[in-house]
Amino acid sequence: MTNIHATAAQMADSLAKKEFSAVELTQAHLDRIAEVDGKVNAFLHVDSQGALSQAKSVDEKRAAGEKLSPLAGIPLALKDILAQEGVPTTAGSKILQGWRPPYDATVVAKLKAAGVVILGKTNMDEFAMGSSTENSAYGTTQNPWDLTRTPGGSSGGSAAAVAAFEAPLAIGTDTGGSIRQPAALTGIVGVKPTYGGVSRYGVVAYSSSLDQVGPFGRTVLDSALLHEAIAGHDERDSTSINAPVPQVVTAAKKLDVKGMKIGVIKELSGAGFQAGVSERINEALDLLVEAGAQIVEVSCPNFEYALAAYYLIAPSEASSNLARFDSMRYGLRVGDDGSKGAEEVMSITREAGFGKEVKRRIILGTYALSSGYYDAYYGSAQKVRTLVKQDFEKAFEKVDVLVSPVTPTTAFKIGEKSNDPVAMYLSDIATIPVNMAGIGGMSLPVGLAKEDGLPVGLQIMAPVMQDDRFYRVGGTLEAALLSKWGKPILSNAPELGGK
Ligand code: GLN
């Protein structure tokens, strides 16, 4: 019997033992999507046929005795920002409606080669700009823990799909927190790998110097398995790092932190964080001390300016990247009735095709890059970026990993921040420095806040290409928490089906 509540590693084990087939496992997840996605709205497109045929081919290969990769036959939800050949890809925007990419992103090609079964494309904030999925042109995603709340964003659909047992694994992208923040808000594991650790080829570009693809799973090991399946050098991405992939699966299984030094970032604790969030974080740190780690307080004085600098750099890059949506090359074209010139059609299409937040960012970015203002805004922001990077480098001279809460609060209500961009931007105050420095970080669920019973995420950060360190710490802490709770955190979430 298939069990959609199992971990991906357990599912893979069952598949290898032929307890059930990949087709049965895929069908069980498609059934679950049909049952609950009307409430959650995690998916923009479900590719039942494609998924079942991929599963069938894995079953055939297994029957023929072929050697398969560890995740062969495991279903996965794909953020709709990655190009998948022949499958609608919108990046949550109306301007890409109807676009079916003629090629696979490198990550998608790697997933297919590994026999991973892609169930469909998940909802997201338009062009990954947001922290709640409310900026999607296709309606918001609901948090499986409480359908009146957001699952976070921008990869909210991917996180919600995993938390609602619609998929055991998902892919997201993280420019300023878009994997770690929704993971925290839905009680799952999410990882932003080191910048350059995973290829960006075929990923719709938001802010190219910050964007990074990464895994979601319900456990640290599941995330590690997916991380290794997608990571590695890619000639088609000029920023991809040509170095061995960190051994994150081994690290996730190590379950030992003796002698490790863990730095608590002073500027990302205490004031400004919900009391129930800080409480769970502190308990988690106590468990790490019991497991033999040493806690040290470190200061990163320039983090204070990271959010402001991010909101100059990211919109600047976006204003340039989004110039390609010109009504000629992709998707939507409006007003082309033969009476207008190309420029006018372009302008009418961009007016109709982009949402409010995207327009706000294009205007902001264009302004920040304009001659006369460039040095004052973009130039200063780049200097802050260097200072943030130096803060991390100094901190990592003293400790092996750094920790902080992922988010200032637990999941907020749908509509609560949607008319207040600055309040929304503040959701990523603790995650943005990681992207600015190009390092990696994990969000690990560490319990439920006492005020509202909603999940809290601990952020664990490591130096460039040392991603194995946060898998080691995360895996150890996860095991300690599980033995304390006696059951996985998601067993506290409401059962959405069958009603
Ligand atoms: N919320 C941040 C933004 O809107 C980060 C989004 C992301 O990581 N893609 O830019």
Side-chain angles (χ1 to χ4, degrees):
M1 260 284 279
T2 57
N3 173 13
I4 57 165
H5 296 93
T7 68
Q10 289 163 344
M11 290 176 192
D13 218 38
S14 299
L15 286 172
K17 290 185 189 139
K18 301 195 177 145
E19 289 168 12
F20 46 76
S21 68
V23 167
E24 284 167 328
L25 184 64
T26 300
Q27 191 57 55
H29 284 93
L30 292 170
D31 292 347
R32 174 71 178 172
I33 293 170
E35 188 185 14
V36 303
D37 209 53
K39 293 174 194 162
V40 180
N41 195 27
F43 284 88
L44 292 179
H45 179 81
V46 179
D47 182 21
S48 310
Q49 254 189 338
L52 287 167
S53 87
Q54 173 81 335
K56 187 160 165 267
S57 110
V58 170
D59 286 338
E60 283 164 3
K61 284 183 187 153
R62 198 180 308 274
E66 272 186 47
K67 184 158 168 33
L68 298 169
S69 48
L71 291 178
I74 303 296
L76 169 139
L78 186 65
K79 186 177 184 180
D80 201 27
I81 199 164
L82 286 102
Q84 184 182 353
E85 188 182 344
V87 176
T89 300
T90 66
S93 182
K94 236 194 293 180
I95 212 155
L96 273 173
Q97 202 162 33
W99 184 53
R100 288 178 188 256
Y103 71 108
D104 282 331
T106 295
V107 164
V108 173
K110 279 181 180 264
L111 291 170
K112 286 182 177 174
V116 174
V117 173
I118 301 173
L119 295 169
K121 309 297 290 289
T122 57
N123 198 17
M124 55 179 285
D125 287 298
E126 185 174 5
F127 290 111
M129 297 173 187
S131 307
S132 68
T133 74
E134 289 165 290
N135 294 335
S136 168
Y138 304 99
T140 186
T141 297
Q142 275 73 251
N143 189 321
W145 286 79
D146 174 349
L147 298 173
T148 67
R149 292 176 193 264
T150 90
S154 65
S155 314
S158 285
V162 172
F165 299 96
E166 295 174 83
L169 297 173
I171 294 286
T173 60
D174 189 313
T175 304
S178 281
I179 292 175
R180 288 159 290 155
Q181 186 254 15
L185 269 39
T186 57
I188 65 169
V189 179
V191 168
K192 180 228 172 267
T194 290
Y195 181 78
V198 179
S199 169
R200 288 183 297 107
Y201 177 76
V203 180
V204 179
Y206 161 19
S207 179
S208 310
S209 76
L210 299 161
D211 298 341
Q212 191 57 200
V213 181
F216 284 106
R218 290 190 287 263
T219 66
V220 172
L221 179 59
D222 285 3
S223 309
L225 288 164
L226 183 54
H227 188 136
E228 282 193 15
I230 59 174
H233 181 240
D234 180 11
E235 273 173 13
R236 288 193 279 199
D237 171 1
S238 61
T239 58
S240 155
I241 296 176
N242 194 355
V245 175
Q247 297 296 297
V248 298
V249 173
T250 307
K253 291 179 177 167
K254 202 162 169 120
L255 306 184
D256 173 21
V257 290
K258 273 185 217 72
M260 283 187 91
K261 282 199 179 142
I262 297 179
V264 174
I265 302 173
K266 195 174 87 188
E267 287 77 7
L268 295 178
S269 53
F273 290 85
Q274 187 179 320
V277 169
S278 302
E279 190 181 30
R280 291 296 172 233
I281 300 289
N282 291 335
E283 283 173 10
L285 297 181
D286 289 344
L287 286 177
L288 285 169
V289 171
E290 272 174 41
Q294 190 189 334
I295 307 287
V296 184
E297 190 182 73
V298 299
S299 174
C300 294
N302 295 295
F303 281 18
E304 184 186 340
Y305 313 110
L307 187 81
Y310 173 90
Y311 277 101
L312 290 167
I313 293 170
S316 294
E317 293 186 15
S319 72
S320 160
N321 273 327
L322 269 52
R324 76 192 59 177
F325 301 105
D326 57 4
S327 78
M328 304 292 147
R329 283 178 275 201
Y330 312 85
L332 190 73
R333 181 180 300 173
V334 184
D336 185 14
D337 57 10
S339 74
K340 298 177 189 71
E343 250 179 68
E344 204 181 336
V345 171
M346 229 177 259
S347 146
I348 295 171
T349 302
R350 283 169 70 88
E351 165 61 26
F354 287 140
K356 195 167 78 182
E357 183 63 24
V358 174
K359 286 178 186 154
R360 180 182 290 128
R361 306 240 182 150
I362 292 174
I363 292 167
L364 189 65
T366 309
Y367 181 75
L369 290 176
S370 58
S371 74
Y373 292 107
Y374 182 95
D375 287 335
Y377 294 118
Y378 187 74
S380 306
Q382 289 291 20
K383 286 180 190 151
V384 170
R385 186 168 187 177
T386 302
L387 294 173
V388 168
K389 205 163 161 251
Q390 288 170 350
D391 275 0
F392 272 119
E393 281 161 6
K394 280 188 207 138
F396 284 128
E397 283 170 11
K398 296 189 208 122
V399 297
D400 300 300
V401 294
L402 289 163
V403 293
S404 77
V406 178
T407 53
T409 67
T410 54
F412 44 93
K413 293 263 184 196
I414 291 168
E416 190 180 320
K417 299 185 181 178
S418 48
N419 291 317
D420 185 350
V422 176
M424 190 70 90
Y425 298 170
L426 282 166
S427 311
D428 297 310
I429 189 119
T431 48
I432 277 174
V434 164
N435 302 75
M436 298 282 269
I439 64 169
M442 167 183 283
S443 174
L444 180 80
V446 291
L448 307 176
K450 63 168 182 253
E451 298 94 342
D452 46 27
L454 292 167
V456 172
L458 173 75
Q459 178 171 227
I460 316 171
M461 299 156 267
V464 166
M465 287 307 260
Q466 309 290 325
D467 299 15
D468 49 301
R469 290 192 197 170
F470 50 74
Y471 278 97
R472 180 173 164 192
V473 174
T476 310
L477 182 53
E478 175 183 61
L481 286 164
L482 193 59
S483 75
K484 183 172 156 186
W485 299 332
K487 56 181 187 180
I489 189 166
L490 281 167
S491 59
N492 299 295
E495 172 48 55
L496 297 167
K499 282 176 202 154

